[in-house]
Amino acid sequence: MHLNQTFVRAASHLTGEWCRNNQKLILACDMDETLLTESEDDQHFILRPKVLYMLRNLRAFYELCLVTYSTRDRTEDILRLKLDPNRRLFNGRVLCREDVLAGFENKREALFAHLPQGKTSKGLMKVRRLKPGYIVRPPAWPYIVMLDDFPAAWSNFSSCIPIRPFLLGPDGGGLNSNGKASTKILSGECGYMLSVYRFLVKLHAAVFQRVRTPIEVDMNCAPIRVRAERRVMGRKNSSGSNGQAHMTAFSALVSLKRRINSAQRFQNMCYVDPGQLLTFECIRTPNERRSRSAINQSHVFVDSQ
C-alpha cells in the first residue's frame, strides 16, 4: 500500500508516549462540510465561522491532522487560499483522496497506517506496511479524536465526534437573495463552533486530569475570560507512577457514550451544543479517589442541564 511520505515524516513523533509526555491529543479533521463548504456555483469556498479561531487555539492541546476525500489539487488550493496559508496548523499532516483510496477501506485505516507503529534498532520510529485486509492500530491510536460530519467515513469509530454539517444554498437554506451567507446562519454557526471548541478542550482536560474552563464568550462570540487551571493528581506509589491506567481520549469518549446510552442521542447532542456534554468533578477526597476505578477517575459525566 502506498503511503504519503510527507505525512509520515510530519507525524513521525506522534506516539502514545509522546502524547502522554507532552499532554497532547491528536485531532483528525474532515474538511468539506466540517471546516468549510462551497458555494452553489463552485466558485467560492466559505469557511465555517470561528473555525480558524478554534483550530489555532486547539494547537495548544492537539496535534492537528486533515483527512479528506477531496482531491490533492483541490485540497492544496483550499489550504493555500483559505484554511492554512501559513502552513502552521497541519504542518504537512494532510491525507487526501489519493492517499485514503490507496488500498484503504476508510479514513481510519489510512490515518492509522500513516502513524508510527514501533521503533527500529536505532530508536527511530517506523511505519508498518499493511497486508491486504489487515488493520493496524498504532501506539497513539487511543489519543486520536476524529471530527467529521460523516462518521461512517471512519467506520463509526468510538473516537469520532459527529459534527453538524455546514451547508449553505437551497438545501442548507443559508444564502440570501444576494448569494451571500445570511447573518443569522453565520451567527448560529459561530456559537456552534465555539461549543465544539469547548468540548474538545474539556475532553483534553478529562484525559490529562486537569480542570480547565477554556473560554467564556459574550453575545458577539468574543472571548472575555480564561480561568486558571487546576491539576487533579492521584497519589503516587513507591515506583513514582500514579498506580492507575492512563486515561485516553478513546476511554473517555467510550465512558461518555455509555452514560448517554444512545448513539442517536449522542449525535443529537453533538449537533446542538457539544460544549455541554462534558463537566468535571473538581475536588475529591483521597478516599473517593482510591475507591474509583481508572475509567471513573476521568471525572467525566453527562451534564444534565
Side-chain angles (χ1 to χ4, degrees), residues 137-198:
R137 288 188 176 183
W141 77 266
Y143 297 93
I144 301 174
V145 181
M146 300 91 166
L147 196 66
D148 203 312
D149 68 295
F150 188 60
W154 301 88
S155 67
N156 293 305
F157 198 58
S158 294
S159 296
C160 185
I161 308 301
I163 191 171
R164 186 171 71 201
F166 180 44
L167 298 172
L168 300 175
D171 295 332
L175 295 182
N176 56 28
S177 58
N178 297 325
K180 296 183 179 180
S182 68
T183 303
K184 182 177 180 180
I185 291 294
L186 295 183
S187 177
E189 288 295 331
C190 173
Y192 178 69
M193 289 311 292
L194 289 176
S195 182
V196 173
Y197 170 69
R198 283 194 294 268

Side-chain angles (χ1 to χ4, degrees), residues 234-246 292-294 297:
R235 286 189 174 183
K236 291 187 177 181
N237 56 28
S238 58
S239 63
S241 65
N242 286 342
Q244 63 184 37
H246 291 292
R292 300 296 180 92
S293 65
Q297 286 183 351

Side-chain angles (χ1 to χ4, degrees), residues 93-105:
R93 295 184 293 271
V94 178
L95 295 179
C96 305
R97 172 186 292 270
E98 293 86 345
D99 305 312
V100 177
L101 299 183
F104 303 104
E105 293 187 2

Side-chain angles (χ1 to χ4, degrees), residues 9 30 53 55 68 72-73 78 86 89 102 106 129 131 156 163 177 196 198 226 229-230 233 270 280 290 295 298-299:
R9 289 191 295 270
D30 173 51
Y53 172 90
L55 293 175
T68 175
R72 192 179 312 281
D73 290 342
I78 293 174
N86 297 322
L89 292 178
N106 51 55
R129 293 195 175 276
K131 298 179 181 179
N156 293 305
I163 191 171
S177 58
V196 173
R198 283 194 294 268
V226 177
E229 66 179 35
R230 287 188 293 173
M233 302 295 293
C270 287
F280 306 94
R290 285 196 296 269
I295 189 67
S298 65
H299 316 295

Side-chain angles (χ1 to χ4, degrees), residues 38-106:
E38 198 167 2
S39 61
E40 287 295 307
D41 56 7
D42 296 333
Q43 297 297 316
H44 304 284
F45 301 114
I46 304 171
L47 288 179
R48 202 164 196 160
K50 291 295 180 180
V51 71
L52 291 182
Y53 172 90
M54 179 187 77
L55 293 175
R56 288 166 182 166
N57 283 278
L58 284 177
R59 287 186 301 172
F61 311 101
Y62 292 80
E63 290 289 276
L64 304 180
C65 305
L66 185 68
V67 185
T68 175
Y69 278 124
S70 178
T71 63
R72 192 179 312 281
D73 290 342
R74 180 175 179 272
T75 301
E76 290 179 352
D77 285 343
I78 293 174
L79 289 172
R80 176 174 52 85
L81 296 174
K82 290 283 188 177
L83 197 55
D84 191 13
N86 297 322
R87 298 183 179 273
R88 294 179 179 178
L89 292 178
F90 303 106
N91 294 318
R93 295 184 293 271
V94 178
L95 295 179
C96 305
R97 172 186 292 270
E98 293 86 345
D99 305 312
V100 177
L101 299 183
F104 303 104
E105 293 187 2
N106 51 55

Side-chain angles (χ1 to χ4, degrees), residues 253-270:
L253 288 170
V254 168
S255 176
L256 172 64
K257 291 181 178 182
R258 283 176 178 170
R259 291 175 183 273
I260 295 176
N261 198 29
S262 169
Q264 185 61 50
R265 183 169 175 237
F266 176 74
Q267 176 176 295
N268 292 342
M269 296 173 77
C270 287

Side-chain angles (χ1 to χ4, degrees), residues 15-27 58 60-63 140 142-145 200-212 229-234 242 244-252 278 280 294 297-300:
T15 65
E17 181 180 6
W18 186 92
C19 291
R20 290 189 296 272
N21 291 341
N22 292 273
Q23 295 195 350
K24 272 195 169 185
L25 299 176
I26 302 168
L27 181 64
L58 284 177
F61 311 101
Y62 292 80
E63 290 289 276
Y143 297 93
I144 301 174
V145 181
L200 291 171
V201 178
K202 286 181 178 181
L203 176 60
H204 176 276
V207 172
F208 297 109
Q209 300 192 12
R210 292 187 296 187
V211 179
R212 180 196 298 264
E229 66 179 35
R230 287 188 293 173
R231 296 293 300 273
V232 181
M233 302 295 293
N242 286 342
Q244 63 184 37
H246 291 292
M247 173 57 58
T248 65
F250 178 81
S251 58
L278 294 175
F280 306 94
Q297 286 183 351
S298 65
H299 316 295
V300 180

